[in-house]
Amino acid sequence: MSWDARLVFHHLWSYVEDNGVNYDSPKLIKSMCMPYDGDQVVSRIEAALDELEKLDCLIRYECDGHRLLFLPGFRKWQKVPHPGACHFLPPNGYDEQGYPVSHEESCDSHESLTTSAESLTTSRAFSSSRSSSNKKEEENKFSSSKEKTTLITFQTSREKAHVNAEIIKAYPDLDLPDSWNAFMSHHHGETRTVTDWTRQWKGWCQRRAKMSGIPPSKPHVHSWQCEHVLRQLGLTLETAQPDQTACQLADQLNKENQ
């Protein structure tokens, strides 16, 4: 592959979330991974992503109207001891954590969900509890740390990547690179803990969006035919049915998002 493709591929391993997914946005990749390069590199990043897609090094797809990319080998080659909460599901053929799923596993999962709705609820409750426990463990680890860091260090941290994904999801029309440049100028020379920087950066973007008249996006409402339900049931739009299992799963997902 070309030199540009190798460089971008190298950066993608820290750009994606813990399930190997993040926004398919050359501008965001440039802002998070190459902040000191000029805007002219955005077109080179786009070309590199096209090349990586042709080489099967990444998968580009859409979910809930968002353009996303996924590294299919992420969970094979990247060890994540305590995976954090992720904002988007991987494409078809992979589970929520980014591991490949065989056709037989999908069929078994569908049969299990169809025969026992109660088992589904229990299983999801356990999974949600375990995810919350892992997330709380990570938050406690960073909040208990008194070590202060600069904005340059915070810029490349996983915590900033996570909060960026939240901001983009809540305010897709906000100019994130411009907001970051203004944030850096305002807090130049300051040092804070990672937790403090995360809170400051999120609040800064929320206030900037409000002052610019940018409304927050409406939360996604799950239905029996939305992609999240279809993925967990191993179905497609052509084979989906508004049956009891699909409707119960949609209701359960909506309750978890409240």
Side-chain angles (χ1 to χ4, degrees):
M1 62 178 68
S2 67
W3 187 90
D4 281 4
R6 296 203 311 271
L7 178 63
V8 171
F9 189 53
H10 170 78
H11 280 298
L12 289 180
W13 289 84
S14 58
Y15 167 73
V16 297
E17 295 189 321
D18 290 343
N19 62 352
V21 179
N22 208 338
Y23 287 94
D24 181 1
S25 171
K27 289 185 178 180
L28 183 59
I29 294 172
K30 182 264 177 190
S31 174
M32 294 177 59
C33 304
M34 311 167 187
Y36 297 109
D37 288 301
D39 292 337
Q40 69 274 8
V41 303
V42 173
S43 60
R44 294 173 62 182
I45 295 174
E46 177 65 38
L49 294 177
D50 290 339
E51 181 179 349
L52 291 169
E53 182 181 26
K54 293 177 182 178
L55 294 172
D56 297 325
C57 293
L58 61 82
I59 297 173
R60 308 174 89 172
Y61 63 105
E62 288 193 10
C63 178
D64 296 334
H66 298 287
R67 292 178 53 195
L68 305 173
L69 61 81
F70 170 71
L71 301 182
F74 183 78
R75 294 312 299 268
K76 179 179 180 181
W77 301 108
Q78 190 84 328
K79 184 177 180 181
V80 185
H82 302 291
C86 300
H87 297 84
F88 294 105
L89 293 172
N92 291 329
Y94 297 85
D95 64 16
E96 293 182 2
Q97 297 182 358
Y99 291 105
V101 178
S102 66
H103 177 71
E104 291 76 11
E105 289 175 321
S106 297
C107 292
D108 291 342
S109 175
H110 180 212
E111 181 180 357
S112 174
L113 288 168
T114 304
T115 56
S116 177
E118 181 179 357
S119 176
L120 165 70
T121 304
T122 303
S123 175
R124 289 192 57 79
F126 173 76
S127 177
S128 176
S129 175
R130 182 175 57 183
S131 177
S132 298
S133 177
N134 288 339
K135 184 178 180 181
K136 185 175 181 180
E137 181 179 346
E138 283 196 344
E139 290 175 348
N140 289 338
K141 178 180 66 176
F142 287 111
S143 61
S144 62
S145 175
K146 301 302 181 181
E147 182 179 355
K148 294 186 177 181
T149 184
T150 64
L151 269 175
I152 301 301
T153 303
F154 172 67
Q155 185 173 16
T156 58
S157 68
R158 187 174 295 272
E159 289 71 32
K160 182 176 181 293
H162 286 168
V163 75
N164 275 358
E166 293 179 10
I167 295 168
I168 292 173
K169 184 177 181 181
Y171 302 98
D173 295 329
L174 179 66
D175 189 336
L176 204 62
D178 184 62
S179 299
W180 176 252
N181 289 335
F183 184 75
M184 288 191 68
S185 298
H186 185 77
H187 294 284
H188 177 71
E190 297 181 18
T191 58
R192 300 173 184 270
T193 64
V194 171
T195 302
D196 287 340
W197 279 130
T198 301
R199 183 171 57 253
Q200 289 282 338
W201 170 232
K202 187 173 183 179
W204 176 276
C205 290
Q206 290 172 341
R207 292 189 297 273
R208 195 175 180 87
K210 185 176 181 179
M211 293 174 61
S212 302
I214 300 175
S217 61
K218 296 181 179 179
H220 172 70
V221 178
H222 299 282
S223 67
W224 63 269
Q225 56 183 347
C226 78
E227 183 172 353
H228 303 92
V229 172
L230 296 180
R231 189 189 305 277
Q232 294 202 35
L233 295 179
L235 302 174
T236 63
L237 282 174
E238 291 74 19
T239 59
Q241 295 290 335
D243 53 27
Q244 182 179 9
T245 302
C247 293
Q248 286 181 342
L249 178 54
D251 290 340
Q252 181 67 26
L253 291 173
N254 285 325
K255 291 179 180 178
E256 290 179 0
N257 289 339
Q258 293 179 355

